[in-house]
């Protein structure tokens, strides 16, 4: 494994490529049974990659909604994109992700996976979030497409998370690779958001539909959309005051506890 054709692409081109494939799948393939699990014809996938990437840049003239490009051709091309580059979850963090997947407690496993995500390189974290939000939407149509989070984990586990050197021991780790991706899909709203999370604790906002599906112009990676400035009038300066005496705490007036032993009942009438 290692960097091949997609590894030399500029980050902006990589993100544009992923965005375009995702938008096409969501436009015409969300209800297709086995989406991402079923592979397309290899020669068609290779052809699509060549026409989409022209001299290191995305070819905007390619229309993935054209009937020439089947959904399984598009999904195979996207999977090959991630296979033909350095593992997205990085070789350096592979041991940490593996240890996280082996946590016995689901809560501990979630926190460990989340912590690993927050330590990924910014671009890897950004493109992973784009992909996982998409795969979470795919899993929401599992009643039709049969792609539950566990099935998505089987497809993308070894694709996104793999060691630098393949070995027999690495083959035994595949189930843990699947677990990591399955958790990312199931807990997508907690792990990923439109803004890069900085801590595995706290409440994260729910994700929204990806900008590519809103036909907005792609932004450069690592540059989130600017936040509108607040127009509230600045607060007037408050003069320093002498420290106030602590307020008296009102006593609580909880009702008295019932006695532990009840009075004996009156004697029964004769």
């Amino acid at each position: 494994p290692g960097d091949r054709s997609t590894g030399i692409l500029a980050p902006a081109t990589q993100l544009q490529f992923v965005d375009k494939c995702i938008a096409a799948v969501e436009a015409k393939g969300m209800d297709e049974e086995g989406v991402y699990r079923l592979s397309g014809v290899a020669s068609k996938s290779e052809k699509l990659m060549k026409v989409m990437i022209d001299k290191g840049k995305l070819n905007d003239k390619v229309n993935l909604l054209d009937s020439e490009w089947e959904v399984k051709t598009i999904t195979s091309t996207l999977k090959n994109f991630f296979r033909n580059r350095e593992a997205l979850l990085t070789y350096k963090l592979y041991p940490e992700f593996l240890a996280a997947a082996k946590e016995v407690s689901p809560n501990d496993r979630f926190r460990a996976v989340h912590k690993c995500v927050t330590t990924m390189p910014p671009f890897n974290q950004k493109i992973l979030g784009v992909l996982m939000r998409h795969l979470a939407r795919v899993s929401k149509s599992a009643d039709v497409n049969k792609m539950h989070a566990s099935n998505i984990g089987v497809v993308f586990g070894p694709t996104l998370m793999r060691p630098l050197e393949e070995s027999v021991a690495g083959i035994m780790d595949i189930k843990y690779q699947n677990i990591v991706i399955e958790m990312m899909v199931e807990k997508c709203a907690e792990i990923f958001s439109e803004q890069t999370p900085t801590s595995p604790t706290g409440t994260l906002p729910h994700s929204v539909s990806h900008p590519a599906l809103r036909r907005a112009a792609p932004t450069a990676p690592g540059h989130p959309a600017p936040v509108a400035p607040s127009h509230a009038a600045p607060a007037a300066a408050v003069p320093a005051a002498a420290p106030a005496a602590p307020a008296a705490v009102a006593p609580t007036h909880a009702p008295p506890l019932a006695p532990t032993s009840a009075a004996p009942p009156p004697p029964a009438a004769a």
Side-chain angles (χ1 to χ4, degrees):
D3 291 355
R4 290 193 285 242
S5 60
T6 60
I8 60 176
L9 296 177
T13 303
Q14 294 185 50
L15 189 58
Q16 290 166 359
F17 175 86
V18 173
D19 280 343
K20 190 162 188 170
C21 291
I22 286 175
V25 173
E26 297 204 359
K28 65 179 185 179
M30 297 293 274
D31 293 338
E32 186 164 310
E33 185 172 340
V35 60
Y36 284 111
R37 180 176 58 81
L38 300 178
S39 298
V41 179
S43 59
K44 290 184 178 180
S45 178
E46 292 172 1
K47 177 183 176 182
L48 179 56
M49 176 65 79
K50 289 179 181 179
V51 299
M52 285 188 71
I53 303 297
D54 182 21
K55 297 179 181 179
K57 295 185 178 181
L58 188 71
N59 184 357
D60 293 331
K61 296 180 180 179
V62 178
N63 182 10
L64 295 183
L65 299 183
D66 192 290
S67 59
E68 177 183 2
W69 307 116
E70 297 178 282
V71 171
K72 59 186 178 182
T73 300
I74 299 170
T75 56
S76 292
T77 304
L78 184 59
K79 287 186 292 184
N80 287 335
F81 165 84
F82 286 111
R83 290 190 187 113
N84 294 337
R85 53 158 291 152
E86 180 184 355
L88 188 61
L89 271 59
T90 75
Y91 302 130
K92 180 180 179 181
L93 288 174
Y94 181 82
E96 283 78 2
F97 274 110
L98 194 63
K102 294 180 179 180
E103 290 284 355
V104 177
S105 164
N107 289 334
D108 291 343
R109 192 180 311 132
F110 163 74
R111 283 191 289 267
V113 169
H114 192 179
K115 182 178 180 180
C116 289
V117 170
T118 63
T119 59
M120 290 174 60
F123 177 71
N124 293 54
Q125 188 176 162
K126 181 180 182 69
I127 203 167
L128 178 65
V130 169
L131 178 63
M132 287 302 143
R133 285 191 289 271
H134 163 63
L135 295 177
R137 292 190 289 270
V138 170
S139 69
K140 289 180 180 178
S141 298
D143 289 345
V144 179
N145 60 35
K146 311 302 181 186
M147 292 302 292
H148 298 275
S150 57
N151 293 336
I152 293 174
V154 170
V155 172
F156 279 93
T159 298
L160 303 178
M161 177 184 165
R162 57 184 186 271
L164 179 60
E165 299 294 336
E166 296 180 354
S167 63
V168 175
I171 296 176
M172 302 300 293
D173 293 339
I174 288 179
K175 66 177 181 179
Y176 298 111
Q177 298 166 6
N178 300 349
I179 287 173
V180 169
I181 302 305
E182 179 181 354
M183 171 159 286
M184 289 183 181
V185 173
E186 289 183 337
K187 301 293 185 181
C188 182
E190 291 85 352
I191 296 176
F192 302 97
S193 64
E194 289 300 323
Q195 293 182 340
T196 302
T198 57
S199 170
T201 60
T203 303
L204 296 175
H206 289 281
S207 59
V208 297
S209 61
H210 194 266
L213 303 179
R214 299 194 291 266
R215 307 300 181 190
T219 57
H223 296 280
V227 178
S230 171
H231 297 289
V238 179
V249 179
T252 57
H253 297 285
L257 296 176
T260 56
S261 59

